[in-house]
Amino acid sequence: MPSSHLTARASGLVRCPTCALVSGTRDGLLCPRCSSSVQRRKPDSLQRTWALTLSAGILYVPANIYPIMTVIKMGSGEPKTIVAGVMALIEANMWPLALIVFIASVIVPLGKIIILLYLLISVQIGLKTHLKERMILYRLMETFGHWSMVDIFLVTMLATLVKTGSWATIEPGMGVTFFGTVVILTLLAARAFDPRLVWDSAHGHL
Amino acid sequence: MFRGSSSPLLPNPSGLVACHECDLLHRLPTRKAGSVLSCRRCGAVLLQNRPDSIPRTAALTLGAFILFAVVNGFPLLILKIGGRETSLTLIEGALELGNHGMWEVVIVVLLTSLVFPALHFLVLLYVLLPLTLGRVPPGAITGFKMADMVAPWGMIGVYLLGVLVAVVKLADLATVVPGVAAYALGGVLVLGTAAGRALDHEMVWNRIGKSVSCHLLT
């Protein structure tokens, strides 16, 4: 029986990232069951997660400054940023929808960047507390991370539907590209982060 | 010490499972249908043993794939204004931003709403349908790896939320009705999620993977 805190790495074993087979294969060699390359930990996890998270944080600024769409009514245009889109829903008294869009397009991307920074820093300083709580944050980020894409899908639909009408036109703006890039970078950052490092660092094995 | 890989109840030939979130080793209990094994240190779900996993996942995936074909053949949204009707299909919606020179967005939208979900369903069917008949199709390992790789990038549920928001946003400007494809997309989401929950990865890997002898561990 494995002792209560024995990890695969401490036992000289490795879990295949693809098929989950636990074997004694050495790092960089192939899993005996599915032939994927196995690694005890995701390679360069911290460096890659830092790079992707910081890039996402920087691009978050233009993503919110540039309009994601311009609604042109009777010849006059109204550029709208992501936050303005949420405000418009609140003004129209569509509270439940405003809340969903606010969560998906503001809370989720910002929350992801903050959670990633917290996880990275806590691992690097070897924080020994809140291990389970940090895993919950990690899982939240994994589960809800892709919901911010809703803005990108929304703009493509609105621009297609309202394009030739004499009453209004909706033009997509630069913000779409920036925001889409932020969402993809945060998704890649979450995947680059190896949650096992949280436990390694708390036990002084980093 | 370790039991052989021939026992269908033993999902991992090593008899051990390592937590994917904290690396803690667990000895596998004898698996009962419907049992869930969680990591005793961090609480992550390690294994979900679903009854009749392979035929059930294959059936649900087949349903999702057929409905997804319907999604692509019918309008998602219909906009009515002054006696004129404009409609939009999934592909038209994705391609429109190309007219504004935003091809990078077109590619992302096409991949996440169309290519990856379709590829996921197709590859899963390619692997699972023969398995229900007891046959392992050629390239099953590569196929199943690919299905796992594209799964997190398919965003049908998010797209559906976008459809809902679009309907509400345009409600004060024009009459917008969700088309056949919007309802079908809802069906794809339900069946696809159920298929994901029914899938027992360990069981599939045991059937399609190379046979592993236990001496590797000792």
Side-chain angles (χ1 to χ4, degrees):
Chain A
M1 193 70 195
S3 75
S4 63
H5 283 296
L6 196 59
T7 61
R9 188 165 80 166
S11 322
L13 298 172
V14 61
R15 175 192 184 275
C16 170
T18 305
C19 80
L21 178 78
V22 176
S23 70
T25 313
R26 271 182 298 161
D27 270 9
L29 296 183
L30 303 182
C31 168
R33 182 161 70 171
C34 75
S35 304
S36 303
S37 170
V38 300
Q39 300 281 350
R40 268 151 187 78
R41 295 293 178 263
K42 291 180 188 173
D44 305 318
S45 172
L46 291 178
Q47 291 93 321
R48 294 182 50 222
T49 313
W50 267 114
L52 292 163
T53 307
L54 291 179
S55 312
I58 293 165
L59 287 176
Y60 188 73
V61 178
N64 280 282
I65 289 175
Y66 284 101
I68 54 165
M69 58 183 162
T70 306
V71 185
I72 302 163
K73 266 187 243 173
M74 317 282 175
S76 63
E78 255 187 277
K80 288 206 163 148
T81 60
I82 284 173
V83 178
V86 178
M87 298 305 282
L89 284 173
I90 295 175
E91 279 164 27
N93 269 325
M94 298 177 194
W95 280 98
L97 200 68
L99 191 68
I100 294 172
V101 176
F102 180 70
I103 291 172
S105 56
V106 181
I107 301 278
V108 171
L110 207 56
K112 265 189 103 167
I113 294 172
I114 293 169
I115 291 175
L116 280 162
L117 289 175
Y118 171 57
L119 289 173
L120 283 167
I121 293 167
S122 74
V123 165
Q124 292 205 310
I125 63 171
L127 192 69
K128 288 180 172 54
T129 54
H130 305 297
L131 287 157
K132 281 198 171 179
E133 288 79 0
R134 278 187 271 162
M135 298 319 279
I136 291 168
L137 287 177
Y138 172 77
R139 280 171 217 149
L140 271 178
M141 181 177 80
E142 285 263 271
T143 314
F144 296 104
H146 58 294
W147 284 93
S148 342
M149 281 295 282
V150 70
D151 282 291
I152 309 297
F153 295 145
L154 183 64
V155 172
T156 65
M157 278 183 259
L158 292 182
T160 316
L161 271 179
V162 193
K163 82 183 147 180
T164 42
S166 50
W167 51 287
T169 317
I170 292 179
E171 290 262 338
M174 273 305 285
V176 174
T177 309
F178 283 116
F179 193 74
T181 313
V182 170
V183 178
I184 291 169
L185 285 172
T186 58
L187 286 170
L188 291 172
R191 290 175 77 74
F193 183 75
D194 193 331
R196 291 169 293 192
L197 297 177
V198 169
W199 301 83
D200 289 347
S201 83
H203 295 98
H205 298 311
L206 199 62
Chain B
M1 177 171 180
F2 297 112
R3 276 189 276 172
S5 59
S6 55
S7 161
L9 280 174
L10 211 105
N12 196 315
S14 67
L16 294 169
V17 170
C19 174
H20 55 287
E21 290 186 5
C22 80
D23 209 31
L24 195 73
L25 274 180
H26 296 71
R27 177 182 285 276
L28 275 166
T30 312
R31 301 178 77 201
K32 291 187 204 85
S35 66
V36 175
L37 178 68
S38 301
C39 175
R40 59 173 189 278
R41 181 162 74 169
C42 76
V45 176
L46 302 180
L47 289 169
Q48 295 181 311
N49 191 354
R50 303 285 177 199
D52 305 323
S53 170
I54 290 173
R56 196 172 288 212
T57 312
L60 289 165
T61 310
L62 187 61
F65 185 70
I66 293 168
L67 274 182
F68 199 54
V70 174
V71 169
N72 286 287
F74 291 89
L76 263 178
L77 287 168
I78 302 150
L79 183 136
K80 291 174 191 161
I81 184 159
R84 275 197 307 146
E85 269 192 24
T86 322
S87 68
L88 145 117
T89 60
L90 191 80
I91 300 174
E92 284 166 358
L95 293 177
E96 167 62 20
L97 263 63
N99 298 337
H100 301 272
M102 301 167 88
W103 286 104
E104 64 287 339
V105 183
V106 172
I107 291 167
V108 169
V109 172
L110 269 183
L111 287 178
T112 54
S113 66
L114 184 69
V115 178
F116 288 153
L119 193 64
H120 177 71
F121 294 144
L122 261 181
V123 175
L124 217 48
L125 285 174
Y126 174 77
V127 176
L128 296 180
L129 282 179
L131 276 186
T132 58
L133 304 170
R135 260 191 293 251
V136 178
I141 292 183
T142 314
F144 201 54
K145 274 183 200 173
M146 194 193 279
D148 260 359
M149 210 183 290
V150 296
W153 297 97
M155 302 189 188
I156 283 175
V158 185
Y159 200 95
L160 198 59
L161 176 64
V163 172
L164 184 77
V165 179
V167 169
V168 178
K169 262 194 176 266
L170 293 173
D172 56 335
L173 301 172
T175 313
V176 187
V177 224
V180 174
Y183 295 102
L185 198 63
V188 175
L189 181 64
V190 171
L191 292 177
T193 311
R197 288 183 57 83
L199 183 58
D200 187 332
H201 281 78
E202 266 305 324
M203 192 177 284
V204 176
W205 278 118
N206 254 358
R207 298 273 295 275
I208 67 173
K210 287 175 248 173
S211 59
V212 182
S213 53
C214 297
H215 69 264
L216 278 159
L217 288 159
T218 46

